[in-house]
Amino acid sequence: MNLILQALPVAVPTAGWAAHALLLSRRLRTARTDRLTGLMRREEFTARATRAFRHPHTAVLLLDLNGFKKINDTHGHEAGDQVIAAVGRRLALWCREHGGFAARLGGDEFTALVRLAPEADTDAEMTCLAARLSAPLDTGRVTLAPRASIGLCRPAHRPGAGLSELLRAADEAMYAAKRCGDHWRPAGAAPGHRPATGHGRPLRPGTHLTLLTPVRRKAS
C-alpha cells in the first residue's frame, strides 16, 4: 500500500499530461481537417504534397463544381453542404485507390495528388473519377448529380516546376475544361482543342455549366 501511495504523486501528473497531449493532438488534427468533408485543409495538403510531388508518377489535380451557387439558391445551404460532403468522400476514396490524398481548398474547390503510371489510360481514369463524383445523391428532399470540372498536371508537363506551378497549371486546365464543357483537361492542352481519342470527353448537351442536375424520379 505504501508503494502505491508513493507512486500516486507521480502517476497523477503523468496521467494529466497524457490527457493534455491527447487533447492537443485532437485540436491539431481538427485544425488540419476540413469539418464538412473530413479532407485535409490547404496548409496540410501543401506540406504533404511538397514532399510527394517529385515522385515520377505524380499527378496533381484541381477540381471545381460547376454552377454550385445554383444549388444553394434553389435548395438551400443544407443541401449544398451535403453535396460538398459527398464529393469530398468520393474524391478521398478515389485518391486512396490511387496512392494519394485530397484536400478541400474552400467553397466547392478541391485539390488532390495521386500516382498514375505512365502506361495508365489517363482519359479513362479521369472519366471514371468524373462519373463517381457525379453519382446521384439523395439529400432527402431532392436527388442531385454533382458535376465537376477537373484539371490535371504531371511534373512532365512542367519540367523542373515546383508544386505551386503544377497547381497553377492544373487550375488553368480545369478552367479550360469548364469553358469547353469537358469533364477534364490536361495541362498544356490548347483551350479550344478536343482530341478525338478523349482527353476530356464533353458532357451531355446543356450540362457543361450545370453542377447539380435534379434526377427525375419515376412516378410510383
Side-chain angles (χ1 to χ4, degrees):
M1 177 64 73
N2 288 337
L3 290 176
I4 295 175
L5 292 176
Q6 291 173 11
L8 279 177
V10 177
V12 172
T14 301
W17 278 111
H20 182 63
L22 180 60
L23 178 61
L24 288 178
S25 176
R26 288 176 176 172
R27 286 179 176 175
L28 183 60
R29 185 163 58 249
T30 300
R32 293 175 175 175
T33 304
D34 176 62
R35 176 190 60 80
L36 188 57
T37 63
L39 298 178
M40 62 184 69
R41 294 178 184 267
R42 181 192 301 264
E43 295 78 8
E44 180 71 4
F45 175 84
T46 301
R48 289 188 60 181
T50 298
R51 298 189 296 268
F53 86 95
R54 297 189 185 281
H55 189 281
H57 298 167
T58 293
V60 177
L61 281 66
L62 253 295
L63 300 83
D64 185 84
L65 300 182
N66 298 322
F68 180 66
K69 183 177 182 297
K70 183 177 180 180
I71 188 61
N72 285 329
D73 292 345
T74 305
H75 301 290
H77 290 278
E78 182 178 350
D81 285 350
Q82 290 184 59
V83 169
I84 292 293
V87 169
R89 291 192 301 270
R90 295 167 181 178
L91 177 60
L93 177 58
W94 183 86
C95 286
R96 286 196 296 270
E97 294 170 359
H98 292 78
F101 47 89
R104 182 187 180 197
L105 297 179
D108 60 329
E109 190 173 29
F110 301 82
T111 187
L113 185 148
V114 296
R115 293 180 181 177
L116 298 176
E119 65 273 14
D121 185 339
T122 309
D123 184 64
E125 293 284 3
M126 293 298 102
T127 301
C128 175
L129 172 59
R132 288 173 65 166
L133 295 179
S134 65
L137 171 67
D138 186 354
T139 68
R141 297 178 58 188
V142 63
T143 299
L144 304 166
R147 304 288 179 182
S149 294
I150 307 168
L152 177 147
C153 184
R154 293 177 180 267
H157 293 152
R158 299 288 189 278
L163 176 64
S164 61
E165 187 173 343
L166 297 180
L167 288 168
R168 189 180 311 115
D171 189 54
E172 292 170 355
M174 180 268 290
Y175 276 105
K178 189 181 292 288
R179 287 194 302 270
C180 297
D182 292 339
H183 288 307
W184 79 284
R185 279 295 175 103
H193 179 55
R194 291 173 180 259
T197 57
H199 292 300
R201 296 175 183 172
L203 301 175
R204 294 194 300 269
T207 64
H208 63 284
L209 288 179
T210 302
L211 157 66
L212 302 160
T213 306
V215 177
R216 297 184 182 278
R217 300 177 183 271
K218 294 182 179 179
S220 55

